[in-house]
């Protein structure tokens, strides 16, 4: 029986995931979920495919343990759209290997991490290791757009039953304890049309929107916040649409606003503040009318580095146990070394927790949001974000993953499950 953690098996396995087009929109995650379910069935792992929407599904697999804690590994099946032939050198779904890299859409974000989680679970099954608790592997639909898969899971399950959540988003094989919140707004300004040669008879919504944008920028400076781990809040106006043609005064203009938040900012208070500012602007020119539509609301995710899940991950990522009998028995010596190389020599130095000492570690936050904002049970559930991909490559042409980092992450996830859940005494 071939070891699923071996290069001979794990690399073609990841290639098979990359070669299935799950670009979102439309997603089409159902077909990949079915392929993975068939593989897990062959390995003797219980799994089920849960329909979320037409052609879109989650996959849930459970490695049943001894009835103790429950740990969830979570990754998403979908990717963003492929790059064009002009933008990149490699085919988006070719899974081409060149040197130490595999190229393809989703290699870093995040089929690499998802594949590693699945193979970590299968390796436990292969070796007959019965965990002290349940390991749940959830592959979700729709994370790249609206987290429809994670929301469907949260609606159907009691998140209180979980004791830890691991998200395989790309972190350069570094331990991340959270991410910023995201609030997306669409602001539409309505004016009055007129002939372009008689602008005084109309009310130009495009010109009015310039004032709205300036107002938003001023307001953002008033509520700007900074967190030592998660970074700084931000506001950016990223789309604008308005007007009919050159010789018609625009009676409508819309913008999409991307707001990223860190503690102590609250989305409800931000939205109320923006609305109040727009009310004030409307009073100055009663001819304008505006609407604010909330497109997305994702909460901040943050886990105290002293939590057991994070401390365990830090031990593994920094390889505090190198040279010990435990490291030799688990075959995981050197976890994090190749990953550090792949990440360009980032500082992975951490302090090893001993006894009751506080964890002294260089933890980080990530700038993007994840399915954790839906699954973290309003901040009650400890969340670890850890993946072998490079976050800078996400959504980029010629996306790639370092193969050594990917292989090491399989052992990382496997050992994390063993240490956090323990091994059942038969």
């Amino acid at each position: 029986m071939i070891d699923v953690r071996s290069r001979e098996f794990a690399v073609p396995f990841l290639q098979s995931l990359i070669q299935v087009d799950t670009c979102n929109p439309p997603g089409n995650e159902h077909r990949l979920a079915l392929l993975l379910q068939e593989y897990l069935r062959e390995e003797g792992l219980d799994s089920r495919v849960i329909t979320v929407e037409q052609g879109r599904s989650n996959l849930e697999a459970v490695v049943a343990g001894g009835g103790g804690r429950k740990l969830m590994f979570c990754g998403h099946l979908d990717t963003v759209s492929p790059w064009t032939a002009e933008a990149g050198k490699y085919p988006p779904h070719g899974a081409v290997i060149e040197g130490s890299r595999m190229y393809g859409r989703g290699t870093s974000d995040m089929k690499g991490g998802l594949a590693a989680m699945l193979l970590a679970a299968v390796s436990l099954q292969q070796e007959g290791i019965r965990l002290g608790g349940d390991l749940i592997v959830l592959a979700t639909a729709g994370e790249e757009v609206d987290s429809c898969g994670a929301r469907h899971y949260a609606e159907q399950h009691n998140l209180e039953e979980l004791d830890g959540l691991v998200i395989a988003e790309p972190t350069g094989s570094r331990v991340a304890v959270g991410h910023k919140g995201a609030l997306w707004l669409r602001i539409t300004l309505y004016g009055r049309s007129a002939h372009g040669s008689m602008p005084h008879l109309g009310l130009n919504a495009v010109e009015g929107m310039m004032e709205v944008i300036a107002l938003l920028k001023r307001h953002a400076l008033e509520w700007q916040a900074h967190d030592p781990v998660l970074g700084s809040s931000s506001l950016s106006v990223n789309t604008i649409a308005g007007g009919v043609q050159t010789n018609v005064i625009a009676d409508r203009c819309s913008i999409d606003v991307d707001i990223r938040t860190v503690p102590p900012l609250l989305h409800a208070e931000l939205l109320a503040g923006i609305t109040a500012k727009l009310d004030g602007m409307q009073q100055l020119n009663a001819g304008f009318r505006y609407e604010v539509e909330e497109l997305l609301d994702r909460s901040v995710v943050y886990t105290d580095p002293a939590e057991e899940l994070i401390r365990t991950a830090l031990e593994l990522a920094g390889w505090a146990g190198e040279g010990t009998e435990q490291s030799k028995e688990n075959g995981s010596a050197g976890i994090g070394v190749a990953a550090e190389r792949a990440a360009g020599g980032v500082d992975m130095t951490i302090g090893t927790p001993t006894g009751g000492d506080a964890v002294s570690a260089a933890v980080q936050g990530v700038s993007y949001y994840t399915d954790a904002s839906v699954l973290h049970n309003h901040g009650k559930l400890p969340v670890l974000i850890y993946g072998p991909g490079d976050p800078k490559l996400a959504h980029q042409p010629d996306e790639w993953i370092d193969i050594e980092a990917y292989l090491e992450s399989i052992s990382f996830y496997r050992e994390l499950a063993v240490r956090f859940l323990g091994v059942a005494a038969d």
Side-chain angles (χ1 to χ4, degrees):
M1 179 172 59
I2 188 169
D3 182 358
V4 298
R5 290 187 288 163
S6 69
R7 179 183 299 269
E8 293 72 22
F9 185 89
V11 171
F13 180 75
L14 175 55
Q15 286 178 302
S16 70
L17 271 65
I18 301 302
Q19 288 162 355
V20 178
D21 181 352
T22 54
C23 292
N24 184 12
N28 291 326
E29 298 95 339
H30 182 67
R31 55 187 173 184
L32 180 54
L34 289 177
L35 287 173
L36 292 174
Q37 183 185 41
E38 179 60 29
Y39 166 67
L40 294 174
R41 184 182 293 118
E42 293 171 359
E43 295 290 347
L45 261 180
D46 290 334
S47 65
R48 62 191 186 115
V49 173
I50 306 102
T51 300
V52 177
E53 299 172 5
Q54 181 65 35
R56 316 196 66 185
S57 298
N58 291 340
L59 172 74
E60 181 186 12
V62 179
V63 182
R69 295 194 288 193
K70 292 186 178 182
L71 177 65
M72 174 178 280
F73 284 173
C74 181
H76 58 85
L77 296 161
D78 62 323
T79 70
V80 294
S81 299
W83 58 84
T84 64
E86 295 76 23
K89 174 182 176 183
Y90 301 93
H93 300 106
V96 173
I97 294 175
E98 189 169 299
S100 62
R101 299 174 177 179
M102 182 188 299
Y103 292 85
R105 178 57 83 216
T107 46
S108 272
D109 185 17
M110 58 170 294
K111 289 180 178 177
L114 175 61
M117 284 182 159
L118 288 165
L119 294 183
V122 170
S123 73
L124 294 168
Q125 181 82 0
Q126 270 192 348
E127 297 172 34
I129 296 175
R130 185 164 176 260
L131 297 169
D134 292 347
L135 174 62
I136 302 163
V137 184
L138 178 66
T140 61
E143 189 273 348
E144 293 290 1
V145 174
D146 58 1
S147 292
C148 61
R151 286 189 289 105
H152 186 276
Y153 185 90
E155 290 165 2
Q156 302 295 321
H157 295 78
N158 180 11
L159 299 177
E160 296 279 354
E161 295 180 355
L162 297 176
D163 297 286
L165 173 64
V166 184
I167 301 287
E169 292 283 1
T171 64
S173 299
R174 298 190 69 188
V175 172
V177 296
H179 61 70
K180 298 177 183 180
L183 178 63
W184 294 357
L185 303 176
R186 175 166 294 158
I187 300 175
T188 303
L189 190 66
Y190 297 94
R192 184 172 62 251
S193 64
H195 195 286
S197 65
M198 294 174 281
H200 59 284
L201 297 180
L203 197 59
N204 195 315
V206 170
E207 293 179 354
M209 188 59 78
M210 294 169 63
E211 296 182 33
V212 171
I213 293 171
L215 177 151
L216 290 172
K217 291 294 187 178
R218 290 194 300 271
H219 189 50
L221 291 174
E222 295 174 13
W223 53 254
Q224 195 169 45
H226 180 78
D227 182 270
V229 174
L230 302 183
S232 298
S233 60
S234 64
L235 179 150
S236 57
V237 177
N238 296 328
T239 72
I240 185 166
V244 179
Q245 61 189 62
T246 306
N247 62 344
V248 178
I249 299 300
D251 64 350
R252 183 180 183 277
C253 188
S254 294
I255 57 171
D256 286 355
V257 186
D258 184 345
I259 302 172
R260 301 298 168 122
T261 58
V262 299
L265 299 174
L266 299 175
H267 291 184
E269 292 181 0
L270 286 177
L271 184 55
I274 289 171
T275 302
K277 294 287 186 181
L278 291 172
D279 284 342
M281 192 190 84
Q282 185 172 325
Q283 289 172 10
L284 294 177
N285 195 329
F288 280 121
R289 179 174 63 88
Y290 74 88
E291 291 178 354
V292 179
E293 178 186 359
E294 189 178 288
L295 302 179
L296 179 139
D297 185 356
R298 291 287 180 270
S299 64
V300 169
V301 171
Y302 178 78
T303 299
D304 189 329
E307 284 280 353
E308 181 184 353
L309 180 64
I310 304 301
R311 289 190 288 109
T312 303
L314 286 169
E315 291 173 7
L316 290 170
W319 194 234
E322 187 170 3
T324 66
E325 286 303 311
Q326 184 179 19
S327 70
K328 295 172 186 175
E329 289 171 5
N330 288 290
S332 52
I335 290 175
V337 177
E340 182 178 1
R341 255 194 335 266
V346 294
D347 180 14
M348 295 191 54
T349 304
I350 65 168
T352 305
T354 56
D357 294 345
V359 177
S360 172
V363 296
Q364 64 174 358
V366 293
S367 58
Y368 49 78
Y369 66 81
T370 75
D371 275 341
S373 61
V374 177
L375 298 171
H376 71 147
N377 194 23
H378 307 291
K380 300 175 187 175
L381 184 62
V383 175
L384 163 68
I385 306 171
Y386 181 98
D390 184 339
K392 295 189 296 296
L393 299 172
H395 306 186
Q396 296 293 319
D398 287 339
E399 180 184 348
W400 56 269
I401 192 168
D402 180 86
I403 292 174
E404 291 301 322
Y406 160 62
L407 294 172
E408 287 188 355
S409 68
I410 303 172
S411 294
F412 175 91
Y413 293 129
R414 177 187 180 280
E415 182 68 9
L416 182 68
V418 170
R419 294 196 188 188
F420 186 77
L421 295 173
V423 176
D426 294 325

